[in-house]
Amino acid sequence: MWLTREIDDDEPRGGCVAGTLRWTRRIIAGALVLGVLLVAGTAVRVWQVARIDDWSQADAIVVLGAAQYDGVPSSVFEARLAQGYKLFKNNVAPLIVTVGGKQVGDNYTEAASGKNYLKSRGVPGDRILAVETGSDTLQSVEAVSKALLARGKTKVVLVSDPWHSLRTRTMARDAGLDAWTAPTRTGPAVYTRESQAHGIFRETFALLWYQLTHYSADFKYTADQ
């Protein structure tokens, strides 16, 4: 009888500990599932927006900067500039904005090299606004927003790589612009399935980081780009 009573006394305590452990495991499992769903949902959204190619009339075409080599746009940057040129020639907007600063030791900013490229293709210099500020996407977008809003321009079509579109658009809208996207369909970012998968993966986590911290998380392209 005493033995039976001791077992009965211990069972509620053991059951309470076991119950706590079960709930802890469930909470951890639930958090992991939610995390996976958040990442997966963001990746799908990055892919969806990458497929949007909106040539609606705008106040300005904004070409996001990328690497340049002594004034010569890299292949990534050239693909973006070529897309911006197409939009301009199709009268999507009367103004092209190039954006981007320079690294230590550079002779040209990304914005200046982009402007020179567009002028070499026949775009009048007074139709190009070079915003020579920004070492990452967020700084560049905020600088463009400030420059355009000061000129009374709010509607912009953003040109970058497809996978970069959602994050760029999110930042531009946060900065006060009415923004949509018409990304390039050429260049290293879309060459292969591997580069496309890498771009989606990279931009998924960069966008989540921005939404969490409101800081930019950009990734360098390889040297040949």
Side-chain angles (χ1 to χ4, degrees), residues 66-79 81 110 112-118 225:
Q68 56 81 33
Y69 305 108
D70 200 27
V72 179
S74 63
S75 55
V76 170
F77 196 14
E78 184 176 7
L81 290 164
E110 294 171 2
S113 63
K115 181 174 183 176
N116 290 338
Y117 172 90
L118 292 168
Q225 296 174 349

Side-chain angles (χ1 to χ4, degrees), residues 152-223:
K153 300 182 184 298
T154 59
K155 296 182 178 181
V156 300
V157 57
L158 303 168
V159 178
S160 189
D161 308 323
W163 329 114
H164 195 208
S165 292
L166 177 56
R167 182 160 62 103
T168 304
R169 191 185 74 179
T170 301
M171 290 176 173
R173 290 178 177 179
D174 286 349
L177 295 174
D178 181 8
W180 54 94
T181 58
T184 179
R185 301 297 173 186
T186 61
V190 294
Y191 276 161
T192 64
R193 295 289 185 183
E194 290 75 14
S195 65
Q196 293 173 28
H198 176 72
I200 293 173
F201 177 85
R202 178 188 66 215
E203 285 299 322
T204 294
F205 287 96
L207 177 58
L208 288 170
W209 176 254
Y210 169 72
Q211 291 175 326
L212 179 66
T213 67
H214 271 250
Y215 284 96
S216 191
D218 287 346
F219 297 82
K220 299 296 183 184
Y221 288 94
T222 58

Side-chain angles (χ1 to χ4, degrees), residues 14-94:
C16 182
V17 172
T20 300
L21 290 174
R22 282 196 300 272
W23 276 107
T24 300
R25 287 195 293 268
R26 288 173 183 172
I27 291 171
I28 293 173
L32 290 173
V33 170
L34 288 174
V36 170
L37 290 175
L38 177 62
V39 171
T42 303
V44 169
R45 193 69 184 127
V46 168
W47 175 79
Q48 289 176 330
V49 174
R51 295 167 63 84
I52 296 174
D53 189 18
D54 191 341
W55 288 43
S56 299
Q57 290 291 305
D59 295 326
I61 300 158
V62 178
V63 180
L64 275 295
Q68 56 81 33
Y69 305 108
D70 200 27
V72 179
S74 63
S75 55
V76 170
F77 196 14
E78 184 176 7
R80 298 178 185 182
L81 290 164
Q83 174 71 350
Y85 175 77
K86 289 179 186 177
L87 293 169
F88 179 80
K89 294 297 288 183
N90 281 274
N91 300 313
V92 170

